């Protein structure tokens, strides 16, 4: 996500009764951006994504996280985000960067 308040994002599909799946984004905020004082930030980010990506592919939900899980090569482990979100087995974590 190219919003100035976001330094990193990971996106997954989550089950939805109406659409089959909906898009959920997990974001890490830029240093100095306090999610507690920016109460409207998730809503602002949703609007920003809809404008940039279009309503069909924009996330329907955004969750702010302190950090995202990464592989040792630095890629966001979307599989792990999905497993944790849905309560599924996390599977092989041998490529997980230590500390995530």
């Amino acid at each position: 996500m190219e919003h100035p308040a976001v330094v990193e994002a990971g996106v997954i599909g989550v089950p939805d009764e109406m659409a089959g799946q909906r898009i959920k984004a997990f974001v890490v905020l830029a240093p100095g951006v306090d999610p507690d004082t920016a109460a409207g930030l998730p809503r602002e980010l949703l609007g920003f994504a809809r404008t940039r990506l279009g309503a069909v592919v924009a996330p329907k939900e955004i969750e702010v996280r302190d950090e995202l899980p990464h592989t040792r090569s630095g890629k966001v482990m979307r599989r792990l985000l999905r497993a944790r979100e849905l309560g599924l087995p996390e599977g092989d974590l041998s490529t997980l960067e230590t500390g995530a």
Side-chain angles (χ1 to χ4, degrees):
M1 187 173 275
E2 298 174 356
H3 193 279
V6 175
V7 293
E8 184 175 40
V11 179
I12 63 168
V14 293
D16 183 87
E17 285 185 23
M18 298 294 287
Q21 280 199 350
R22 63 181 161 80
I23 301 169
K24 180 173 182 176
F26 300 88
V27 298
V28 176
L29 299 179
V33 177
D34 184 1
D36 296 328
T37 59
L41 186 58
R43 186 179 180 99
E44 178 184 334
L45 293 174
L46 287 170
F48 182 83
R50 286 177 66 94
T51 301
R52 298 287 274 195
L53 303 171
V56 174
V57 296
K60 305 300 183 233
E61 181 181 357
I62 294 180
E63 182 177 319
V64 176
R65 294 260 179 113
D66 292 333
E67 63 183 6
L68 299 178
H70 294 93
T71 63
R72 287 187 218 130
S73 63
K75 295 181 180 181
V76 173
M77 291 185 75
R78 291 177 296 164
R79 156 185 83 74
L80 190 53
L81 283 174
R82 183 172 168 73
R84 289 176 178 174
E85 176 69 16
L86 301 177
L88 301 172
E90 293 184 355
D92 181 15
L93 300 178
S94 64
T95 61
L96 182 65
E97 180 180 58
T98 309

